[in-house]
Amino acid sequence: MQIPFVSFLPMEKELDQELRNAFERVYSRSWYILGEEDKVFEQAFASYLGVNNCVGVGNGLDALVLALRALKIGPGDEVIVPSNTYIASVLAISYAGAIPVLVEPDIDTFNINPHLIESAVTGKTKAIMPVHLYGQACDMDPIMNIADKHGLFVIEDCAQAHGATYKGKKVGTFGNAAGFSFYPGKNLGALGDSGAVVTDNDELASEIRALSNYGSDYKYHHILKGVNSRMDEMQAAFLSVKLPHLDRMNHERRRIADMYSSKINNPKVILPAVNPECVPVWHIYGVRCEDRDALENFLKERGIGTNKHYPTPIHLQEAYKDLAIPEGALPIAEKISKTELSLPIYYGMTDEEIQYVIDSVNEF
Ligand SMILES: *Cc1c(COP(=O)(O)O)cnc(C)c1O
């Protein structure tokens, strides 16, 4: 049996006609940037989350950069971010001109360990950027308490967690602002690059909207040195097709993850832990194994695609050698990078395929 790490086919087959209709609608209108489709999607996504404002932007990285810039976080400021994340979270801090301060995750949930945050706070710390990694919400109560106590902003990176909840509340609604990515492989994905910032703060939303459109508040009037990072009409139209299916498709990912968690019983394989306060959306189902590369090859020989999130931690990437964090300094992130393996998980996996992955992992 051949099972890819990820496939969009079942979803695209189901939504085929709706997506083609969306294309037709935009194409026949001949209006491609900042129009009706953006407005409709922004409103729908804001109301899905229960926030006041959604600003469509070009991608998830820009969403985070623009949120930081609008909060006036820049040169000389420090931002706390997990040591185990996709590099975009950290790059956003660098692009804003600020200094990323890496804090270790909890090895069982893979998310930032709130107990380690406070000792990383200095006089320069301006914000915390929790990343709801692999689709599971961070432990937000202690994070918000630390932020309140020290007067820090919280910018949530929700790129992997559309629809995930903590104590019944959706991620993206806890901090001052949150960035979402709609990269095709995310739980809510466009058919190209796209992203959004959400916030309850109207003033902040206007600032982000201006920054994303050349710093302009109205045409040819520039109040800020902004960038060009807007959600285009075509992507907004595709996202409006997919949003009403998000909860159902997340539910399906949970069904697959629950089957993995209840039926994988190989003592060599450590299953991901879930904080009981969270309902995860399983962007990634990551297991850990001391013999990770052997497990990867074993599954590959059986036709099962896997992935590693992430094979090299940020502090050991060449791009971040200026942080001067030596190997061994962030042992949890390093351990995850050496032991994590992501199993296939996507909407439309059949029971037979799920069972085949389970049996194969158990045979290892
Ligand atoms: C995908 C991702 C981003 C960046 O999103 P893009 O749309 O690819 O720019 C940021 N943070 C995390 C955790 C991601 O997974």
Side-chain angles (χ1 to χ4, degrees):
M1 201 182 297
Q2 292 292 321
I3 304 175
F5 170 65
V6 68
S7 168
F8 302 150
L9 286 177
M11 170 174 50
E12 288 178 352
K13 214 170 142 188
E14 221 177 275
L15 303 180
D16 185 80
Q17 199 51 54
E18 280 187 83
L19 290 167
R20 287 176 199 279
N21 292 347
F23 169 82
E24 278 297 330
R25 189 170 72 235
V26 175
Y27 186 56
S28 62
R29 211 188 272 136
S30 291
W31 186 276
Y32 300 110
I33 304 282
L34 296 181
E36 207 43 47
E37 299 289 342
D38 282 331
K39 282 202 196 92
V40 168
F41 175 73
E42 285 175 353
Q43 270 168 21
F45 196 58
S47 85
Y48 171 80
L49 293 175
V51 287
N52 287 340
N53 306 278
C54 170
V55 182
V57 297
N59 54 65
L61 171 62
D62 286 353
L64 296 169
V65 176
L66 297 177
L68 290 163
R69 280 189 63 186
L71 288 164
K72 311 286 184 263
I73 293 166
D77 298 334
E78 292 178 356
V79 178
I80 290 171
V81 65
S83 55
N84 178 52
T85 181
Y86 181 53
I87 197 166
S89 320
V90 185
L91 281 175
I93 298 166
S94 301
Y95 279 146
I99 302 155
V101 174
L102 307 182
V103 168
E104 290 268 77
D106 175 290
I107 192 134
D108 297 312
T109 64
F110 301 105
N111 268 333
I112 192 164
N113 184 341
H115 305 298
L116 303 178
I117 293 178
E118 205 157 13
S119 58
V121 174
T122 72
K124 292 180 183 169
T125 310
K126 282 285 163 61
I128 306 171
M129 183 185 286
V131 181
H132 307 292
L133 206 66
Y134 308 159
Q136 179 169 192
C138 293
D139 200 3
M140 289 311 291
D141 278 355
I143 293 173
M144 295 312 293
N145 286 340
I146 295 164
D148 282 347
K149 182 172 159 196
H150 295 276
L152 308 175
F153 293 120
V154 173
I155 299 105
E156 296 171 74
D157 181 343
C158 301
Q160 301 190 357
H162 318 68
T165 61
Y166 174 80
K167 297 194 172 175
K169 200 166 130 67
K170 288 200 175 87
V171 301
T173 63
F174 292 88
N176 301 85
F180 282 86
S181 163
F182 305 118
Y183 176 79
K186 308 289 171 147
N187 289 38
L188 178 59
L191 307 187
D193 273 318
S194 202
V197 190
V198 302
T199 176
D200 272 330
N201 183 328
D202 298 347
E203 225 174 287
L204 192 65
S206 307
E207 177 109 351
I208 291 164
R209 198 176 288 288
L211 277 175
S212 75
N213 187 26
Y214 295 111
S216 143
D217 54 352
Y218 57 90
K219 205 168 172 76
Y220 302 132
H221 187 259
H222 303 271
I223 49 173
L224 298 160
K225 293 190 187 78
V227 297
N228 173 7
S229 184
R230 303 169 296 211
M231 177 181 283
D232 69 72
E233 289 283 283
M234 204 60 92
Q235 298 310 331
F238 295 141
L239 288 165
S240 290
V241 168
K242 286 189 167 182
L243 180 59
H245 302 279
L246 176 62
D247 283 342
R248 183 171 61 85
M249 293 184 173
N250 278 342
H251 185 81
E252 188 56 22
R253 285 173 178 271
R254 268 196 297 280
R255 191 180 75 85
I256 299 165
D258 289 348
M259 279 179 72
Y260 284 164
S261 292
S262 64
K263 292 186 173 172
I264 294 175
N265 55 15
N266 184 333
K268 284 183 285 197
V269 175
I270 303 168
L271 301 174
V274 176
N275 179 332
E277 307 289 4
C278 303
V279 179
V281 294
W282 299 107
H283 176 59
I284 281 163
Y285 187 92
V287 300
R288 287 197 308 109
C289 178
E290 287 300 329
D291 253 340
R292 188 262 313 270
D293 294 355
L295 175 60
E296 177 191 27
N297 286 329
F298 182 86
L299 295 176
K300 192 174 170 189
E301 278 165 18
R302 277 155 188 74
I304 299 172
T306 58
N307 223 322
K308 296 166 191 162
H309 296 92
Y310 294 91
T312 306
I314 312 286
H315 66 289
L316 302 181
Q317 295 280 1
E318 197 179 329
Y320 273 109
K321 59 177 185 247
D322 60 333
L323 288 178
I325 303 174
E327 190 161 1
L330 295 168
I332 311 242
E334 291 172 21
K335 188 162 183 121
I336 291 171
S337 74
K338 291 193 183 97
T339 56
E340 192 273 351
L341 192 72
S342 309
L343 302 181
I345 191 161
Y346 53 87
Y347 176 78
M349 266 182 97
T350 64
D351 283 0
E352 205 188 354
E353 289 167 333
I354 302 164
Q355 191 60 49
Y356 181 70
V357 174
I358 293 165
D359 293 341
S360 303
V361 173
N362 285 341
E363 262 172 53
F364 173 69

